[in-house]
Amino acid sequence: QSALAAPPLTAEEADNFQARLERGLRSKPARVLRQRMNIDFAVLLMRSSYNAVDELDIVAMDQFQKDFFLIRQAEYQYYSDSLGVGAMQQGDLADPNYFDFISFAQYATISREIVNPPAVFEEQQPVEVGEGQPQKFDAVVVRRDPAIKNTDLPRIHTEIVGNAILDKLIEKFGETASAIPTIEPGSRPDAVTFLAAIKQMVNLFTLSGFAWEGGASMVQGSSIKDTQFSIIFTSPATLWSGQSLAAKKAVVTNDFALKTVKAMATRAGYKVVKDSVNYKGNQEITTFSVV
């Protein structure tokens, strides 16, 4: 098989006619008031998404970093110009305008790498060297778990990211008054109990600066299976990137709240179904049911 999981991206490909056309058709980033993100939470969202790629063994991580850089480089000026001078601090993850951009670039890269990668590839991994010595790398052959089908990779990536976010929220807030209400594993709670946990998860996202405000509600049916849940964030940090990834039909998107809800549901003994993420004005609207 090829030594590389996906063909390395080139600067020309990242900024070719198709890329420029797609860029021109996208919605421009909205100039809305957004609060600064908690830097630890912003890092969590980025790092968990990156670590999931590494854990899945879908691409050499040195190649992923190069492709990520080329996509950032090709996209940055257009995005920055659309926002206007002084509207964004480059490199500041806590700046929601910059986070919106960098999260788009990260998930555009992940979506490129995750489609039908081979199970075996070569990765350049750093080796320990003496102080002051130039960094050296060893070529290591990486073999992905043969039991994992390529078609399952997007779902598993979502699971890894959602669990990482949920674990961190529990670790940080679990012993405080802001803790997500405990649901016993596999207990399949009723809709009201499950909604209470979702509401507090949304509160923690909002408290962490993910959105200006957020809330969760439900339209209750005769049973939890007939109940539709919804999460609405106003001016979230993924307002532009979420729409842009959906427009390019990315196979994985930065729907972080939905990923976390899926992790919560799985632990509670449910599975999220009929899920969707839509945008209206400056709102991100997530709806789903569980079975």
Side-chain angles (χ1 to χ4, degrees):
Q1 293 205 44
S2 169
L4 293 170
L9 186 66
T10 64
E12 291 75 20
E13 182 185 348
D15 199 31
N16 62 16
F17 174 77
Q18 181 179 346
R20 291 195 301 271
L21 177 63
E22 178 189 302
R23 211 171 289 143
L25 293 174
R26 279 189 216 129
S27 299
K28 293 187 183 298
R31 299 180 185 181
V32 295
L33 186 62
R34 297 193 279 191
Q35 62 175 326
R36 283 181 62 80
M37 296 179 71
N38 174 279
I39 187 61
D40 291 338
F41 190 68
V43 170
L44 168 65
L45 300 185
M46 294 292 296
R47 184 170 292 164
S48 61
S49 302
Y50 175 88
N51 288 347
V53 173
D54 195 12
E55 183 175 337
L56 281 174
D57 290 331
I58 58 174
V59 63
M61 296 312 290
D62 53 302
Q63 181 192 328
F64 179 86
Q65 292 283 22
K66 292 173 185 174
D67 292 350
F68 184 26
F69 169 78
L70 289 172
I71 288 175
R72 295 199 313 269
Q73 179 178 257
E75 297 284 350
Y76 182 79
Q77 198 61 52
Y78 182 84
Y79 178 84
S80 179
D81 289 347
S82 296
L83 274 177
V85 177
M88 173 178 63
Q89 181 63 47
Q90 185 175 10
D92 181 5
L93 274 184
D95 178 345
N97 285 332
Y98 181 73
F99 183 89
D100 214 352
F101 165 74
I102 203 68
S103 184
F104 166 80
Q106 184 185 50
Y107 270 83
T109 310
I110 295 171
S111 291
R112 180 182 186 275
E113 316 290 15
I114 207 169
V115 176
N116 295 323
V120 182
F121 56 88
E122 191 175 274
E123 181 173 80
Q124 297 293 321
Q125 296 184 355
V127 297
E128 190 172 337
V129 296
E131 186 176 348
Q133 297 297 310
Q135 181 65 65
K136 295 182 179 179
F137 297 85
D138 278 346
V140 177
V141 175
V142 178
R143 292 178 172 84
R144 190 170 66 253
D145 183 351
I148 299 177
K149 298 178 182 178
N150 283 350
T151 52
D152 290 334
L153 291 170
R155 173 183 57 80
I156 299 172
H157 184 274
T158 287
E159 291 173 357
I160 295 171
V161 176
N163 278 304
I165 296 170
L166 181 56
D167 285 342
K168 183 57 70 172
L169 292 178
I170 292 171
E171 176 189 319
K172 184 172 182 178
F173 297 101
E175 301 299 323
T176 74
S178 299
I180 297 171
T182 300
I183 295 176
E184 291 301 318
S187 61
R188 297 177 67 85
D190 60 28
V192 172
T193 301
F194 190 51
L195 177 63
I198 295 170
K199 282 184 172 181
Q200 190 53 28
M201 182 273 288
V202 170
N203 288 341
L204 295 182
F205 266 63
T206 306
L207 180 65
S208 300
F210 180 76
W212 190 256
E213 60 183 13
S217 61
M218 67 180 180
V219 177
Q220 194 162 10
S222 57
S223 69
I224 192 169
K225 293 180 181 179
D226 302 313
T227 297
Q228 184 183 65
F229 297 91
S230 67
I231 295 171
I232 299 179
F233 285 114
T234 300
S235 301
T238 52
L239 181 62
W240 173 82
S241 52
Q243 295 177 79
S244 298
L245 289 165
K248 74 190 273 83
K249 294 180 169 46
V251 293
V252 286
T253 62
N254 56 355
D255 50 356
F256 296 115
L258 181 57
K259 293 183 196 304
T260 309
V261 162
K262 286 181 176 180
M264 292 173 63
T266 298
R267 297 182 190 189
Y270 289 118
K271 177 183 178 182
V272 169
V273 296
K274 301 177 182 176
D275 54 283
S276 68
V277 181
N278 295 289
Y279 297 86
K280 183 177 181 181
N282 65 335
Q283 290 187 325
E284 178 186 271
I285 305 166
T286 301
T287 60
F288 59 93
S289 298
V290 298
V291 294

